[in-house]
Amino acid sequence: MKLVDLLEEIDTINPYKRYGKVNKVVGLMIESRGPECSIGDVCYINVGSKHKRKIQAEVVGFREEYVILMPYTSVNEISPGSIVEATLKPLEIKVGSALIGSVIDSIGMPLDGSQLPKGLTSVQTDQNPPNPLERPPIDEEISVGVRMIDSLLTVGKGQRVGIFAGSGVGKSTLMGMIARNTTADINVIALVGERGREVREFIERDLGAEGLQRSIVIVATSDQPALMRLKAAYTATSIAEYFRDKGLNVMFMMDSVTRVAMAQREIGLAIGEPPTTKGYTPSVFSILPKLLERTGTNKNGTITAFYTVLVDGDDMNEPIADTVRGILDGHLVLDRALANKGQFPAINVLKSISRVMNHIVPEEHRHNAERLRELLSTYINSEDLINIGAYKRGSSRDIDEAIRYYPKIISFLKQGTEEKISAEESLQRLQKLIEVGE
C-alpha cells in the first residue's frame, strides 16, 4: 500500500470511542441510553466483574432517545448500567479457501471451538443484490446428481429453486444427495433453526465425509437467539458471494427460509412492529426478496441456490411459501403421499417446475421430459378408476399407454441416497424409457 493510501486510511479512523449504558432488558430486547450508532452496527456490552467479558449485540432500532439492541448470545449477565461500546461497523466475518470443510456458527467462528485458519478475508454479511443489468442470463445446465431433477426439472447455473415440503418428507436427505453429487465447485450449506440432534446427523449421515470436504456448513440451532438464526442466513449468503466473486460455480443450500422468517418475526415483534399476515411482521416480507436476490449470477461466477420452505400442514399457499415461490426461479414440491409409498426422492413432478429449463436444454430433451409428464399425468388422473377396476382396457389408447409405462416411470423416478448418476446417464435413460418403454 502506498504512503498516500495509508495517510488517507489514517484520516478515516475515528480516535474517539462512543459509550452508552443499558437502561433495561425486556425479553429479547436491550434498551440503552446511547451510544451514537446506526441500524445494523455491532456493539459490545461489557458484563461480569471488572467488565472482563463482552457480549456482541446489534442495533435493531431506536425508541425516542434510546437505542434498541439484540444480543447474539444469552442476556443472563446483562444488568442496568452495563457499559455499551459502539464499533460503528456492521457484522463482518472472515472467509477464504482455508474455510472449506469447516462447520461454523452465525458469526463465522468454528463450531468445534477451534481457531480460524490464517489468511482469511473480512467481508460484511449484509450486502446488496447484484445490479440486474450486470446479471448474465442463465444459459448453461448444472448437474445435481439427482436423476429426476437433471432430466425432468433441469437446473441452470445461477438458478434459484425452492424445495417445498412438510416435516419429515426428505428435505435433508435430498440436500445431502445434491451436495455429494453436484458438479459445482463448492457447496455452502446453511442450517437455520435446526434441532441440535439433527446437525451432526446431517453432517455425518446425509452430507458425509465426501460432501463435507467440498463444503462450508453454517449452523444456528433452534435454541439460539433470533438474531443468531437470522444472521446465519446472511453469513452463509456472504460466503457464497465471496466464492462467486472469485469466479467459482457455487452450490448454495439453505434449510430453511421459513425459520429465517420466523426469526425476523421475533425481532420485529420485539421492537414493536405490528403483526400483519398470519402474525408475520412487515419487515419479514421486505427482507426476503433482498436476501434471496443476492444469489444467482453475476459477471464473475454463479450461485445456484436451493432454499427449503416448511409448509404447515402441507399448505402450499401459506404466506412465506407463497412469497418465496414468487421470488425464485422454480420449485420442487415434496409430496407426503409419495413418501408414504416409499418413493424417494418424494418430488411430485407434476406440481414442480423449473422456470429456466426450456431455455437451456436441447429440443429432444424437452420433448422427452414433456412426454413423460404427459404419461404420468394421464395415469394419475385415471388412477382411481384403474384401482377399483372401473376402467376397461381398450377404452382409451392414452390410458392404456400410460398403464403400460407407469411401472417403468416410477422405477425411473426412484433413486437410492447412495446412487450416483451423471446428467448424461439420466438423459440416456430418459430417452430409452420414452423410445422403447424400458
Side-chain angles (χ1 to χ4, degrees):
M1 186 179 285
K2 295 180 180 178
L3 180 59
V4 175
D5 296 331
L6 286 170
L7 292 173
E8 289 179 356
E9 186 73 22
I10 291 170
D11 288 339
T12 62
I13 296 173
N14 193 329
Y16 298 101
K17 284 192 175 183
R18 291 168 170 80
Y19 294 97
K21 282 188 176 183
V22 171
N23 183 56
K24 65 179 178 181
V25 178
V26 180
L28 304 173
M29 182 189 69
I30 301 167
E31 190 178 276
S32 75
R33 187 183 294 275
E36 182 185 335
C37 51
S38 304
I39 292 282
D41 283 358
V42 173
C43 293
Y44 292 109
I45 303 173
N46 295 274
V47 297
S49 59
K50 299 182 180 179
H51 306 307
K52 287 183 178 178
R53 198 164 76 85
K54 293 183 177 182
I55 292 176
Q56 276 187 307
E58 185 172 306
V59 180
V60 295
F62 303 96
R63 184 174 295 144
E64 297 173 354
E65 72 271 24
Y66 295 105
V67 178
I68 301 173
L69 301 154
M70 294 197 80
Y72 291 127
T73 55
S74 65
V75 297
N76 294 347
E77 297 179 79
I78 299 172
S79 59
S82 293
I83 301 297
V84 181
E85 178 185 337
T87 65
L88 303 181
K89 293 192 298 184
L91 179 66
E92 292 185 346
I93 59 160
K94 292 187 177 292
V95 61
S97 299
L99 213 56
I100 298 173
S102 301
V103 181
I104 62 175
D105 64 13
S106 303
I107 54 177
M109 300 306 294
L111 210 61
D112 60 5
S114 62
Q115 295 296 314
L116 281 170
K118 297 187 182 298
L120 302 180
T121 304
S122 293
V123 296
Q124 290 188 5
T125 59
D126 193 359
Q127 302 186 44
N128 292 320
N131 186 316
L133 295 181
E134 294 181 358
R135 286 186 184 268
I138 298 170
D139 55 9
E140 189 178 350
E141 304 168 37
I142 186 169
S143 173
V144 299
V146 178
R147 181 167 51 237
M148 189 190 306
I149 298 175
D150 285 339
S151 57
L152 305 177
L153 300 159
T154 309
V155 174
K157 288 182 179 178
Q159 185 176 352
R160 299 160 303 141
V161 181
I163 300 175
F164 294 77
S167 57
V169 191
K171 297 185 303 299
S172 297
T173 303
L174 179 60
M175 287 173 56
M177 290 175 67
I178 294 171
R180 291 194 307 272
N181 301 336
T182 181
T183 56
D185 299 316
I186 182 176
N187 302 311
V188 178
I189 304 170
L191 303 178
V192 182
E194 284 285 352
R195 304 175 188 88
R197 172 185 63 82
E198 291 183 336
V199 171
R200 188 164 181 176
E201 285 185 6
F202 173 81
I203 293 169
E204 295 182 356
R205 185 184 63 195
D206 297 325
L207 186 59
E210 178 187 358
L212 185 59
Q213 284 177 0
R214 53 201 297 256
S215 304
I216 300 173
V217 183
I218 299 89
V219 175
T221 51
S222 58
D223 60 293
Q224 292 183 307
L227 192 60
M228 283 291 271
R229 283 178 271 137
L230 179 65
K231 284 300 171 185
Y234 283 84
T235 294
T237 305
S238 64
I239 291 172
E241 288 170 327
Y242 171 86
F243 288 104
R244 177 181 62 186
D245 291 342
K246 295 292 184 183
L248 300 181
N249 295 314
V250 181
M251 180 61 69
F252 179 78
M253 285 173 274
M254 184 185 293
D255 184 17
S256 70
V257 174
T258 308
R259 295 193 186 111
V260 174
M262 288 177 175
Q264 179 60 38
R265 177 175 64 183
E266 286 184 45
I267 294 169
L269 292 172
I271 63 176
E273 279 191 79
T276 51
T277 311
K278 285 199 174 180
Y280 288 100
T281 57
S283 62
V284 172
F285 301 100
S286 67
I287 70 153
L288 283 178
K290 184 179 178 183
L291 178 65
L292 302 182
E293 285 287 352
R294 286 171 61 181
T295 54
T297 61
N298 75 357
K299 58 186 178 182
N300 301 311
T302 65
I303 301 174
T304 306
F306 286 87
Y307 296 95
T308 70
V309 182
L310 294 169
V311 285
D312 293 334
D314 298 325
D315 176 15
M316 289 292 295
N317 295 315
E318 63 97 25
I320 300 304
D322 201 40
T323 301
V324 172
R325 189 167 57 245
I327 298 169
L328 301 180
D329 310 316
H331 53 270
L332 308 176
V333 178
L334 300 190
D335 195 324
R336 192 176 300 278
L338 296 178
N340 292 340
K341 291 179 183 177
Q343 180 180 320
F344 291 99
I347 300 172
N348 189 320
V349 174
L350 301 180
K351 293 183 179 179
S352 305
I353 190 170
S354 169
R355 292 182 182 171
V356 306
M357 177 177 173
N358 290 343
H359 304 295
I360 61 175
V361 301
E363 180 66 25
E364 184 180 26
H365 178 180
R366 185 171 63 83
H367 169 76
N368 289 337
E370 289 176 353
R371 178 63 177 148
L372 188 146
R373 281 174 172 267
E374 181 184 341
L375 289 165
L376 185 59
S377 177
T378 301
Y379 184 91
I380 295 298
N381 290 336
S382 310
E383 189 172 22
D384 290 342
L385 293 174
I386 296 167
N387 288 341
I388 65 174
Y391 174 75
K392 293 182 180 179
R393 288 185 181 272
S395 302
S396 168
R397 189 176 65 180
D398 289 342
I399 296 177
D400 288 344
E401 193 174 26
I403 292 172
R404 180 169 63 87
Y405 271 93
Y406 185 69
K408 302 292 193 303
I409 292 174
I410 296 304
S411 177
F412 175 81
L413 297 179
K414 287 183 177 181
Q415 182 175 341
T417 55
E418 300 300 326
E419 182 182 351
K420 288 189 176 182
I421 185 164
S422 66
E424 293 77 13
E425 291 172 313
S426 297
L427 296 183
Q428 289 170 6
R429 185 165 171 185
L430 173 64
Q431 186 168 359
K432 189 176 180 181
L433 172 63
I434 297 301
E435 288 180 351
V436 297
E438 293 183 2

